[in-house]
Amino acid sequence: MNQSYDLIGVGLVAVDILWITPPNARAGEKNNTPQLIMQGGAPAGSGTCGPAMLGYRAGFLARLGDNILSNIARDEFAARGVSTDLFVNAPNAEPAFALVQIDPKSAERTVYYNLSRYQQLQAADLPVATLRKARTLLLDSFEIDATLAALDAVAGTPVRTILDLEHGDHDRIRKAIAKATDSILPWGLARELTRKKEPGEALAVLRTLTKGNLLVTDGVRGSWACDGQDIRHQPAFRVSAVDSTGCGDAYHGGYIVGVLEGWDLGMRMEFGAWLAAEVAKSLGGRTNLPSRQELASRNTDMLTSATRAVVRKLAATPASSSLMPSGKELSGKNTDMVGPKPRALIRTMDAIPSPSVL
């Protein structure tokens, strides 16, 4: 494993079957379902696919076996440019298996999943030397033991560690936040951890745990971040949403692209929101992720002029030459976020304040 990576994802692997319920579906009968697909899923998995599609060197770490679902999961990663070299071979392991029903009117999803043959990563599974050479890690709370071990493994290095937190033991979640450079939480978890009524208030409490980046996402309400002084708000973008699956994962992927490119916090949030909106336009969390070539033809008019300019530059730069050397923005010291406890002021960025999904 001598290859160095721009991004390594560590977390849950899933295979999803997704469908949009036909308008005239009848219970107890067979219903033709034209909009039905099978696709790889899970938060860190799909979050890693976004940067990989844009040409960054990405790999994923999880346990997979020699079975149909594992093979599908590997193929799904490979099809989107994610290296499968880091997967740990565990003969009886399978990915999570999920059935995802999409409401045709609201684009909201209902997920039914099974983890009966999923195997958690062990500390011995972590390729420590490879992790320490990566530029960024995306770590989820489904694999919290591996996440904490990976954070310890790269401590003291320039590796940026981005947490994709959804739920779990609160004490271990807090430990992870304290160790990471960037933590992204859904509003539900942030509310549980802090017992606050608004994201800005929750960020002020979470700020006591870390000097790193802290972000809270809340679907159509957008996202909030603590920059050391103020609370930033990034509205979600208005789109004709088809499926909300994977929108939060795309946000994380867009945020990581911004980290790799050295963009400031506001640009990272804005590009994440834009990529989330792009994903919402199609069935499946990975279907509408753009490649570097496709990025140039996507509509970026809703972005601020500064963010639109860096996105256009990214689209025009061949993937092999777009990668920045490690520097201030990629420092594990997280110098862009060190600061005192945030004030209560809410600063809203200049973006379209319209509903979508994150």
Side-chain angles (χ1 to χ4, degrees), residues 315-356:
T317 306
S320 60
S321 62
S322 72
L323 306 177
M324 291 174 44
S326 296
K328 176 181 177 181
E329 275 297 311
L330 286 179
S331 170
K333 296 179 180 179
N334 214 26
T335 53
D336 61 330
M337 288 296 294
V338 175
K341 186 176 179 179
R343 299 191 298 268
L345 173 67
I346 302 292
R347 182 169 67 235
T348 299
M349 296 176 59
D350 181 18
I352 300 174
S354 307
S356 178

Side-chain angles (χ1 to χ4, degrees), residues 126 128 131-132 137 139 145-157 161 175-176 178-180:
L126 300 184
V128 173
L131 295 176
R132 290 174 66 87
L137 303 182
L139 309 163
D145 289 338
T147 286
L148 290 170
L151 289 168
D152 288 338
V154 302
T157 73
T161 49
K175 287 180 181 178
K179 295 172 183 288

Side-chain angles (χ1 to χ4, degrees), residues 178-331:
K179 295 172 183 288
T181 64
D182 303 73
S183 300
I184 306 176
L185 300 77
W187 167 231
L189 177 59
R191 185 175 54 222
E192 288 178 11
L193 290 171
T194 65
R195 298 184 179 181
K196 295 297 181 180
K197 295 182 179 180
E198 289 297 332
E201 297 173 348
L203 284 170
V205 174
L206 293 171
R207 190 69 179 148
T208 63
L209 300 176
T210 179
K211 292 182 178 179
N213 295 289
L214 285 166
L215 295 91
V216 170
T217 62
D218 191 25
V220 297
R221 293 210 298 161
S223 61
W224 292 258
C226 174
D227 68 359
Q229 291 290 325
D230 300 333
I231 304 298
R232 293 175 177 266
H233 177 233
Q234 170 61 54
F237 293 116
R238 182 189 296 274
V239 295
S240 297
V242 172
D243 175 15
S244 61
T245 303
C247 292
D249 311 333
Y251 181 96
H252 302 150
Y255 181 91
I256 291 170
V257 168
V259 170
L260 292 167
E261 291 295 325
W263 299 345
D264 65 30
L265 176 62
M267 288 178 177
R268 299 196 296 261
M269 295 172 68
E270 192 178 0
F271 186 65
W274 178 84
L275 197 58
E278 286 294 292
V279 164
K281 296 176 183 178
S282 298
L283 176 62
R286 302 180 183 180
T287 304
N288 209 35
L289 291 170
S291 67
R292 183 72 63 102
Q293 295 75 16
E294 292 169 340
L295 189 61
S297 63
R298 297 291 178 96
N299 182 2
T300 57
D301 290 347
M302 69 284 291
L303 296 174
T304 57
S305 58
T307 303
R308 187 164 58 249
V310 297
V311 171
R312 287 176 175 173
K313 180 180 179 181
L314 176 65
T317 306
S320 60
S321 62
S322 72
L323 306 177
M324 291 174 44
S326 296
K328 176 181 177 181
E329 275 297 311
L330 286 179
S331 170

